[in-house]
Amino acid sequence: MHARARNYVSESEVCKLESVPLDFGDYHPLKPITVTESKTKKMTRKGSTSSTSSSSSSSMMDPLSSVLDGTDPLSLFAAAADPVTTAPPTDGARRKRDKDESSAVGSDFEPWSSKRGEILARYTTTEKLSIVSGKATTTGSAVSEKVRTRLEELDDLEEGSQKELLNLTQQDYMNRIEELNQSLKDAWSSDQKVKALKIVIQCSKLLSDTTVIQFYPSKFVLITDILDTFGKLVYERILSMCVDNRVSLPDNFSPESVNDTAKETCLNWFFKIASIRELIPRFYVEAAILKCNKFLSKTGISECLPRLTSMIRGIGDPLVAVYARAYLCRVGMEVAPQLKESLNKNFFDFLLTFKQIHGDTVQNQLVVQCVEIPLYLTLYSPAIDWILQCIAYHAPDCCDDALLLNSVMSAFRAEFIAARSMDFIAMIKECDESGFPKHLLFRSLGLNLALADPPENDRLQILNEAWKVITKLKNPQDYINCAEVWVEYTCRHFTKREVNTVLADVIKHMTPDRAFEDAYPQEKFLPFLDMFQKESVRVEVCKCIMESFIKHQQESTKDPVILNALLHICKTMHDSVNALTLEDEKRMLAALINGFIKMVSFGRDFEQQLSFYVEARSMFCNLEPVLVQLIHVSHSLSTFPLKMGIYLQFSHPLLRLLACVAFCFITIPSLSSIFTCLNLYLHSGQVALANQCLSQADAFFKAAVSLVPEVPKMISVDGKMRPSDAFLLEFLCNFFSTLLVVPDHPEQGVLFLVRGLLNVIQDYTWEDNSDDKIRIYTNVLHLLSAMTQETFIYHVDKVDSNDTLYGGDSKFLAEINKLSETVVSQILDHLKTLGKEETLKRQSQLAHYFFNTIVAHGDLRNNRLNQLSVNLWNLAQKHGFADTKTMVKTLEYIKRRSKQPDMSHFTDLALRLPLQSRT
């Protein structure tokens, strides 16, 4: 084969991408993004209850309102008028009943009506609002028509028989809500119950809209006024049906005293409400008539409250959800103040979902409305204050204060708790010991401090206060549950002295009857580890320790105490491996040990570093990935002097380098994976070559060549058996790339390593249906072509390759040409064997692959080589298996090449390469 002469520098220049100057203007990737609000009006579908608003920034506050701080006396006076409470009673019995119900909670409980006016005065807006109004309905005189139209009207409500009133001021909005409230009463008094239900549903839907978010608390007050009116009307209606002989039910009536007609009517209301499709109106309307469960069963309210509490979990907006919880607490306190469990659950659910506030959905909404987080958080205050008031009412102080404090520490972000650690400790100290255990409060605090750091000046005082409580615990389980959290805190923020003190206290509490504890050395870590007697538990503890070390250790270490302890831990993990250990478990253990090995550094103390690797090899011989890691780190160790340029600082530097080489040469044969061995031999040879250790590099390369015949036909990959040909092809291609720069041994002859590898490839038994052998031979031609160049494409620093040693000697080039002819002959013989019908496609693919090799690397001015390329082109297309698009692109490439300098012979070649269509 005649290789073409290459000028790698000029070829590299031709292949470079053209540089085009770019003008970024004001853009810069690190420049902060500016959000510009688009002042567009949102279009809504027919029947949609979404409200719209203008894009006025909520940060633009009315200066007069800010001076009054939301406490305008006229607004307070106007808002104090509750339409429900001011409704005139119908008779003396109703007045008495209302009085009794209001006294279900004592006078020490601040009623909702006292908060109503303050909320309306404080949460105002200057933005435009919208509201949905239902169309007027007519009622037929015939009873049958009336029944039929009720269902139709309810369907109209769901399908969108509403019109939207836009651009309302806050006062217009409030007036419209009051009109709806009056319409509800008028519809009810005229026996238009379906219309009344429609009004309530349509008002409840408004509570799902947060378009003007700063007005939401006031909207909640206005809408729940209507819900309260509706609930009272339904209750009074059913109660009036229970009157027998003009005798009303007693105040504490039982469901058994309710007649069937009243029960049926009550059930009918609940069934109507259950058919409401949307979650929020269905929840609010059912909550409004929660009291009506008294007509059906004694346990109705206690069964409905948990279900309604769970329903709130389906509300995605955290602000909407917290006000729904507030309304449920408000109704619950009116009808069943003794059922505190549901109230507590409501608040705990809120704490668990509080992190939603910092989610993308809420943050994007605030950006759109130009509302800052501090302002947004104040919108939660009325709802949370009311919920907490309901929970705290007549609750045992000692228990629930601590319980609530624990819930707060469990639910709020760790950064929030950590920043106020001393405040929480003060609150914990004030809690009564007879209630919620203090050590559980300190455990919750410690869990937060494991995730976020407290102020630096408070850290020691925090530990002292916590440990005063922890060390007094007598129950070992309580003690260790709390201590385990604070051990991590101690390790993160203090020195070995404090850690030793804590561990000593742990040992003291967990092994009180063991006399040998007095003989423990001053270092308490390993004795602490020995407390775990069960092997599986000890291994899990060791894994946790190593995971923590790898995660938190930022710098390498050579501390002998740390190394001794961690070697002991790693040896414990390694010794747990047996024949029954799963592969995943082995990989996990090996990864932890490797993480430790990478963190050990003795700096420039070469001998100590290598001694550590030798010791580790003997300790972890059953975990192959650890041995592989040790080989890689020894490679880094051997190149360390080379990288640092400090050979002269070492005495006998070559001996030390040879020690690393010997370490690798001894360790590699102990590995079971043959491809791991092959790649490590190659890598080790490359490292030796980079350090100018030519004899040692030859030894590694020879070892790799001798190992190739042992490659099995099938290997296990991820638990599955796969053919090894593709892996062997990849390895050999990498090997050929290295052999280009390996100089010949003066006593071994020309290209001795290449010849030896070709002999091994020739003798290797390949699969009958595999063409990998020929693909390898084709890659050998790439190597031989590169070897004929005056200057190789790449070199190893301070290593003279064959281009320097032979200097283009004619005998050397003749040897390469002779070897090339032998390889080409092998390829052509194989192509002839593929002439059978079932192998014609493989023949076409290999012919085209060989053709590309000749075009890329051969000198096509040689007539024999030129004719061979034409024959291969025709062979690739002969039987119609060639890909037409690929052949066209190849021919276009040849034509482009013909326009380059000294490539005119490609023009003649292109004329001799016909394109054949498939037949």
Side-chain angles (χ1 to χ4, degrees), residues 25 111 157 229 236 245 260 286 338 430 460 552 588 590 633 763 767 777 796 841:
L157 177 66
T229 300
E236 295 294 344
N245 295 326
D260 293 340
E286 182 175 355
Q338 74 280 5
E430 292 177 1
L460 182 58
H552 298 293
M588 179 186 295
V633 293
D763 296 337
E767 293 290 334
Y777 279 151
V796 176
K841 184 175 182 179

Side-chain angles (χ1 to χ4, degrees), residues 94 163 205 216 280 302 443 544 713 769 797 885:
R94 182 175 300 175
K163 62 180 180 180
K205 284 186 175 182
Y216 191 85
I280 291 178
S302 61
R443 173 180 167 81
C544 292
K713 298 295 179 292
N769 60 347
D797 189 32
K885 291 183 179 179

Side-chain angles (χ1 to χ4, degrees), residues 230-460:
F230 176 73
K232 188 176 291 289
L233 290 172
V234 173
Y235 183 82
E236 295 294 344
R237 165 67 176 162
I238 300 173
L239 186 64
S240 66
M241 299 174 68
C242 300
V243 176
D244 187 16
N245 295 326
R246 297 193 176 186
V247 177
S248 60
L249 289 176
D251 295 335
N252 297 321
F253 66 87
S254 64
E256 291 78 11
S257 59
V258 178
N259 59 50
D260 293 340
T261 303
K263 285 186 176 180
E264 184 178 354
T265 303
C266 185
L267 280 173
N268 186 36
W269 276 110
F270 280 110
F271 290 154
K272 286 179 182 178
I273 294 169
S275 66
I276 300 174
R277 299 175 188 174
E278 297 184 30
L279 172 62
I280 291 178
R282 185 170 71 251
F283 163 79
Y284 272 105
V285 179
E286 182 175 355
I289 67 166
L290 179 66
K291 188 177 179 181
C292 295
N293 281 281
K294 293 171 63 176
F295 297 109
L296 300 177
S297 69
K298 293 181 179 179
T299 60
I301 294 177
S302 61
E303 292 172 355
C304 283
L305 273 174
R307 179 172 57 80
L308 291 172
T309 301
S310 299
M311 283 175 64
I312 301 175
R313 297 175 181 173
I315 300 176
D317 191 307
L319 184 65
V320 176
V322 75
Y323 275 92
R325 300 184 197 283
Y327 186 70
L328 187 59
C329 288
R330 182 171 132 200
V331 175
M333 288 297 289
E334 291 176 1
V335 301
Q338 74 280 5
L339 299 177
K340 284 297 187 65
E341 183 178 352
S342 293
L343 303 181
N344 295 338
K345 185 179 180 183
N346 239 326
F347 183 65
F348 295 156
D349 279 358
F350 162 71
L351 293 177
L352 291 174
T353 58
F354 186 75
K355 60 185 178 182
Q356 286 180 301
I357 292 175
H358 303 281
D360 291 340
T361 303
V362 173
Q363 295 298 321
N364 293 338
Q365 183 184 25
L366 298 184
V367 170
V368 171
Q369 298 196 39
C370 299
V371 175
E372 300 292 336
I373 276 288
L375 176 61
Y376 175 70
L377 292 178
T378 61
L379 303 179
Y380 286 79
S381 297
I384 297 175
D385 291 349
W386 178 258
I387 295 172
L388 291 176
Q389 178 182 329
C390 295
I391 292 174
Y393 183 67
H394 285 181
D397 293 336
C398 62
C399 177
D400 281 338
D401 283 353
L403 180 62
L404 182 59
L405 184 60
N406 188 67
S407 299
V408 169
M409 289 191 292
S410 300
F412 279 71
R413 289 193 305 164
E415 293 80 4
F416 177 87
I417 305 298
R420 300 160 178 81
S421 300
M422 294 307 300
D423 295 335
F424 278 97
I425 286 178
M427 289 186 282
I428 292 172
K429 292 168 70 174
E430 292 177 1
C431 292
D432 196 322
E433 286 285 358
S434 61
F436 194 84
K438 275 189 179 181
H439 71 272
L440 293 183
L441 295 175
F442 275 107
R443 173 180 167 81
S444 297
L445 178 61
L447 289 172
N448 283 282
L449 298 183
L451 300 174
D453 297 335
E456 187 172 357
N457 294 336
D458 297 338
R459 292 174 184 175
L460 182 58

Side-chain angles (χ1 to χ4, degrees), residues 58 79 97 112 261 314 407 462 468 606 781 792 824 830 849 904:
S58 62
R97 189 180 302 111
W112 173 257
T261 303
S407 299
I462 291 171
K468 287 178 185 176
F606 184 98
L781 292 179
F792 291 171
V824 170
H830 184 78
Y849 184 63
S904 58

Side-chain angles (χ1 to χ4, degrees), residues 646-695:
I646 52 175
Y647 263 123
L648 297 178
Q649 295 184 23
F650 289 118
S651 58
H652 308 294
L654 182 59
L655 293 178
R656 302 178 186 219
L657 182 60
L658 293 179
C660 286
V661 172
F663 176 87
C664 297
F665 202 81
I666 293 171
T667 308
I668 293 175
S670 63
L671 305 177
S672 60
S673 172
I674 193 165
F675 277 104
T676 301
C677 291
L678 285 172
N679 286 303
L680 286 174
Y681 275 134
L682 178 58
H683 191 195
S684 300
Q686 292 168 343
V687 171
L689 194 63
N691 285 280
Q692 300 99 51
C693 298
L694 303 184
S695 298

Side-chain angles (χ1 to χ4, degrees), residues 16-267:
K16 279 185 178 179
L17 295 175
E18 182 181 359
S19 60
V20 179
L22 297 178
D23 183 14
F24 290 100
D26 293 335
Y27 169 77
H28 190 278
L30 300 181
K31 187 176 180 180
I33 298 174
T34 302
V35 179
T36 304
E37 184 176 1
S38 177
K39 298 189 177 183
T40 59
K41 188 174 294 182
K42 186 170 74 172
M43 303 300 294
T44 58
R45 299 175 302 169
K46 181 181 180 183
S48 171
T49 59
S50 299
S51 63
T52 61
S53 69
S54 71
S55 57
S56 300
S57 174
S58 62
S59 61
M60 299 295 293
M61 301 297 292
D62 178 8
L64 297 180
S65 299
S66 61
V67 170
L68 290 171
D69 194 23
T71 56
D72 174 15
L74 295 179
S75 299
L76 286 174
F77 178 77
D82 188 336
V84 175
T85 58
T86 58
T90 57
D91 51 40
R94 182 175 300 175
R95 285 195 299 269
K96 180 178 183 297
R97 189 180 302 111
D98 289 344
K99 180 180 178 181
D100 292 340
E101 288 169 0
S102 65
S103 62
V105 292
S107 58
D108 56 339
F109 183 80
E110 185 180 4
W112 173 257
S113 58
S114 66
K115 299 178 180 293
R116 179 181 179 279
E118 181 183 352
I119 295 173
L120 289 174
R122 180 180 179 187
Y123 297 98
T124 60
T125 181
T126 58
E127 295 193 23
K128 299 299 182 181
L129 304 164
S130 65
I131 194 170
V132 176
S133 175
K135 69 180 183 181
T137 59
T138 59
T139 307
S141 58
V143 176
S144 59
E145 183 181 357
K146 181 178 180 180
V147 173
R148 186 181 71 252
T149 56
R150 282 186 174 181
L151 293 175
E152 293 175 353
E153 290 171 351
L154 282 176
D155 287 339
D156 286 343
L157 177 66
E158 295 295 331
E159 295 298 329
S161 61
Q162 301 100 3
K163 62 180 180 180
E164 190 170 16
L165 303 179
L166 305 174
N167 297 323
L168 300 177
T169 65
Q170 178 178 328
Q171 189 58 49
D172 293 338
Y173 188 90
M174 296 174 69
N175 292 339
R176 181 56 190 158
I177 292 294
E178 181 56 35
E179 290 174 9
L180 287 173
N181 201 354
Q182 188 59 44
S183 297
L184 168 64
K185 296 175 184 177
D186 294 342
W188 192 271
S189 61
S190 61
D191 204 25
Q192 298 184 59
K193 304 297 189 296
V194 172
K195 181 180 178 181
L197 180 58
K198 284 177 59 177
I199 294 172
V200 175
I201 293 175
Q202 121 189 0
C203 291
S204 300
K205 284 186 175 182
L206 296 176
L207 291 174
S208 64
D209 174 36
T210 57
T211 307
V212 186
I213 201 167
Q214 63 269 33
F215 184 64
Y216 191 85
S218 293
K219 181 197 291 188
F220 171 80
V221 170
L222 297 171
I223 300 301
T224 52
D225 284 348
I226 298 177
L227 289 166
D228 293 342
T229 300
F230 176 73
K232 188 176 291 289
L233 290 172
V234 173
Y235 183 82
E236 295 294 344
R237 165 67 176 162
I238 300 173
L239 186 64
S240 66
M241 299 174 68
C242 300
V243 176
D244 187 16
N245 295 326
R246 297 193 176 186
V247 177
S248 60
L249 289 176
D251 295 335
N252 297 321
F253 66 87
S254 64
E256 291 78 11
S257 59
V258 178
N259 59 50
D260 293 340
T261 303
K263 285 186 176 180
E264 184 178 354
T265 303
C266 185
L267 280 173

Side-chain angles (χ1 to χ4, degrees), residues 884-902:
T884 304
K885 291 183 179 179
T886 303
M887 303 303 285
V888 170
K889 289 182 179 179
T890 304
L891 187 56
E892 290 175 351
Y893 166 76
I894 292 173
K895 290 179 181 179
R896 287 197 303 271
R897 288 283 302 277
S898 66
K899 298 177 183 179
Q900 297 177 4
D902 300 327

